Amino acid sequence: MSAAILSLDHATKAFGGLIAVNDLSFSLQDGELLGLIGPNGSGKTTVLNLISGALKPTSGSISLGGSEIAGQPAHKIARLGIARTFQLVRILPSLTAEQNVVAGGVFGHVRGWGVEAHERARALLERVGLGGRGDSPTSSMTYIDQKRLELARALAANPQVLLLDEWLAGLNPSELKIGIDLIRELRNDGISIIMVEHVMDAIRSLCDRCVVMSSGLKIADGDVHRVLADPEVIRAYLGDDHA
Amino acid sequence: MTWLNEKERRIAGFAAIAFGVVALLPLVDQGYYLSISVNIVMYVVLCTAWTLFSGPTHYISLATAAFFGIGTYTVALGIDTVPFPLLLVIAALASGLLACVVGIATLRLSGIYFVIFTLGLAELVRQVVTWLQTNFSSSLGLYVFTDFGEKHIYWMLLGLAAIVYITGWLINRSRLGFAMQIIGNDETVAKHVGIDTARAKVILFIISGAFIGIVGAILAPRFSYVQPPSAFNPMISFQVVIMALLGGTKRIWGPLLGVIPFTILFDQVTAYFPNHTSFVIGIAFMAIVYLLPQGVLGRLEDLGRLRKRFRMVSAEEGNNP
Ligand SMILES: Nc1ncnc2c1ncn2[C@@H]1O[C@H](COP(=O)(O)OP(=O)(O)OP(=O)(O)O)[C@@H](O)[C@H]1O
Ligand SMILES: [Mg+2]
C-alpha cells in the first residue's frame, strides 16, 4: 500500500484573475481514503474537477498509475477508472433508477451491456440501500436516495479511484451513520477514495489522512488528528481569533 | 433471449401491414392523391431523419436544405453516366461527409451557434454551387431525364422510410441510443460515465444527414430541371423543423403526427392563398411553440397519463366505497 495511484504535481487552475487551485501537490496511495477539506470556496470541488477532467488545469500535472491525465477529456479519464459524484446531485431524471446505474457501467472503465449490466446494476442498488427500487422514477426519490443512486452509478464503473464531493452533506444524523458505514465498506473493498467533506466527524472516523486547502493553497497534509489540531488549519476554518 | 419481444413483434407486424397498404396507393390514384402522398412521405423521411439527431441532442439543425441539395445535385450531375442506385449511395456518402465535417467543426459549440452555423451552411453551399455553375458551365441548371414517374419516386421514398424507421429503432436499442439518452439528460454526467459526447453526436448527425441526402437524390427526377434555388431551398429546412416539432421529437414516430396534418394544411394554403405561404408558416410556428411545446406526441402522452390516473383513481374508489 505504498504506491501512489494518483498524484497531483503543482496543479494550478486560474479562472481569469482568481486562482482557485494554487500550485497544489499531493498524492493518493493505493487503497487509501483521503479527506480533502477546507473552508467554503477554498478550491476543493475545483480539484475534483481537474482530476475528473471536468476542467483542464492551467498548469501542472496529474497522473493516474504513472500516466499523465491532466487536461484529458472527462470521458477518457472515466475510461481509465476514475469515477465521481457531484456536490449538487446529478441524476438522469428521464431514466429509471436501474438505468441510472447501468449508465455508469456501459461506456467507461466497465463496458457491460444487456442483461448482465442490469444484473450488476440491481446488485449495486442493493448495496447502496436501494434494493428493489430499480423501477422507481428518480424524480420522486428523496435527497439521500438520489445521493445513493449517484454513488451506485459511480460504482458501476468499478473505479480505481472514487471522488466524492460532499456526499454526506445534507443527510440527517441517522442517514449520516448509514452513509459513513457505506463509505467505510467501499474503502475496505480496496477502492482508493478522495472525499471532500465538511462533516468533520466523518473525516475523523473514516480517513487515514487528510489534505487541507485554504484559498487554493494546501496548508496541511497528514494524519487526520494531527492536522485538525494544527493552529494554521484552525485559523483557516475559524478565523485568526481562535488560533 | 429472443430478438423481438411480444409487443415489438406486434408493432413490426402492424407496421409491415401499414406499409403494404400504403404502397398500394399508386394502383388506386396517380393524380392529386399520389402527388400529395409523395410530399407526405418525403417529409416523413426528412423529419424522422432530422429527429434522429435533433430529438435526443436538442440541437436545431437548419442544414436540411444543404444535405437535400447535395443529394439532388449528385443525381443531376451523374444521371447520364452512373446507375441510379449507385447515385443514391454517392448522395448518402457526400451528404454524410458534409455532416461529418460540419459536426466536428460545430458540435462542440453550444446550441445557438449550431443553429446559425447550419443556416449559414445551407446558404453557403447554395452560393458555391451557383458560382461553380455560372463560371464553369454554360447553363444555369441541369436536366434530369429519367424513366421514373411519380409512383416510382413514391415507392422509393416508402422504402427509404422503412429503412429510416428500422435504423432509428436499432439505434434506440444500441449503446449509441443509450448514450444519446444520457446526453439528453445531462451532458456533464454523460462525459463522466465515459461517453465521448462529441463523437456520439457527430455519428448521429452523419446518419441523419446521409438520409436527407438520399431523399434529395430520390426527388431529383421530380424536378426534371435542377437549379440551386430549388435544390437548396431554405424553406425545406424550416418546414422540417416545424413539422418535426409539431409532431414531437421524443419518439421516432413522433414527426409522423406533425407531417400529415401540416402537409395537407400547407397544400391547401398554397392552393387557395399562394402568396401567403410564409405567413402561414410563421403562424404555424408560433402556434406550435405556444400551444404544443411537446408536439402532438406530448399531448397524446399527457392524455394517456391522465387516463391511467383516472383509471387508478376510480379503481381505488371502487376499493374503498
Ligand atoms: N467554473 C468557474 N468559473 C469561475 N470561478 C469558479 C468556477 N468554479 C469555481 N470557481 C471559483 O473558484 C473558487 C473555488 O471554488 P470551489 O467550488 O472549488 O470551492 P469549494 O472548496 O468546493 O467550496 P464549497 O465548500 O463551497 O463547495 C471559488 O471562489 C469559486 O467561485
Ligand atoms: Mg465544493
Side-chain angles (χ1 to χ4, degrees), chain B residues 135-146:
Chain B
N135 285 280
F136 297 98
S137 141
S138 49
S139 67
L140 270 176
L142 293 161
Y143 287 98
V144 182
F145 293 127
T146 62

Side-chain angles (χ1 to χ4, degrees), chain A residues 20-72:
Chain A
V21 175
N22 197 346
D23 201 30
L24 184 74
S25 304
F26 71 84
S27 56
L28 174 71
Q29 305 302 309
D30 196 3
E32 187 182 28
L33 173 43
L34 176 74
L36 179 57
I37 64 174
N40 290 118
S42 56
K44 305 177 298 291
T45 297
T46 307
V47 170
L48 296 195
N49 284 338
L50 296 180
I51 299 172
S52 78
L55 295 172
K56 288 187 200 315
T58 312
S59 64
S61 105
I62 302 172
S63 62
L64 175 73
S67 54
E68 182 67 28
I69 58 167
Q72 296 225 24

Side-chain angles (χ1 to χ4, degrees), chain A residues 52 54 74-75 78-79 84 86 90 92-95 99 103 106-108 111-113 153, chain B residues 1 173-176 178-179 181-182 185-186 188-197 199:
Chain A
S52 78
H75 70 267
R79 287 175 192 185
R84 71 174 291 177
F86 295 89
R90 284 176 176 267
L92 305 166
S94 88
L95 273 54
Q99 286 173 318
V106 174
F107 308 98
R111 302 178 76 80
W113 188 241
R153 185 176 71 213
Chain B
M1 207 178 79
R173 50 187 282 157
S174 71
R175 281 168 195 260
L176 177 61
F178 189 42
Q181 231 184 326
I182 297 169
N185 269 277
D186 189 327
T188 303
V189 170
K191 289 177 180 158
H192 281 89
V193 297
I195 298 170
D196 186 343
T197 56
R199 179 164 166 272

Side-chain angles (χ1 to χ4, degrees), chain A residues 33-40 42-45 48 85-87 143 147 163-171 176 179-180 183 193-207 209-213 224 228 237:
Chain A
L33 173 43
L34 176 74
L36 179 57
I37 64 174
N40 290 118
S42 56
K44 305 177 298 291
T45 297
L48 296 195
T85 65
F86 295 89
Q87 184 166 355
Y143 188 63
K147 290 204 136 187
L163 310 174
L164 301 175
D165 197 350
E166 302 196 22
W167 192 75
L168 296 166
L171 305 189
L176 190 61
I180 289 177
I183 295 176
I193 303 172
I194 297 180
M195 63 184 285
V196 167
E197 205 50 73
H198 281 302
V199 183
M200 285 307 159
D201 287 344
I203 296 285
R204 278 202 193 88
S205 67
L206 283 171
C207 299
R209 192 163 68 91
C210 74
V211 168
V212 188
M213 290 182 72
V224 173
L228 292 182
Y237 264 96

Side-chain angles (χ1 to χ4, degrees), chain B residues 245-297:
Chain B
L245 294 183
L246 172 62
T249 57
K250 280 207 309 212
R251 298 202 190 282
I252 180 137
W253 45 270
L256 186 66
L257 304 175
V259 170
I260 295 175
F262 192 91
T263 314
I264 294 171
L265 172 79
F266 197 72
D267 181 71
Q268 296 297 312
V269 172
T270 16
Y272 294 107
F273 314 99
N275 301 324
H276 299 95
T277 49
S278 312
F279 180 71
V280 170
I281 291 217
I283 297 282
F285 195 75
M286 290 196 286
I288 292 163
V289 172
Y290 278 106
L291 304 175
L292 296 169
Q294 300 293 326
V296 176
L297 176 69

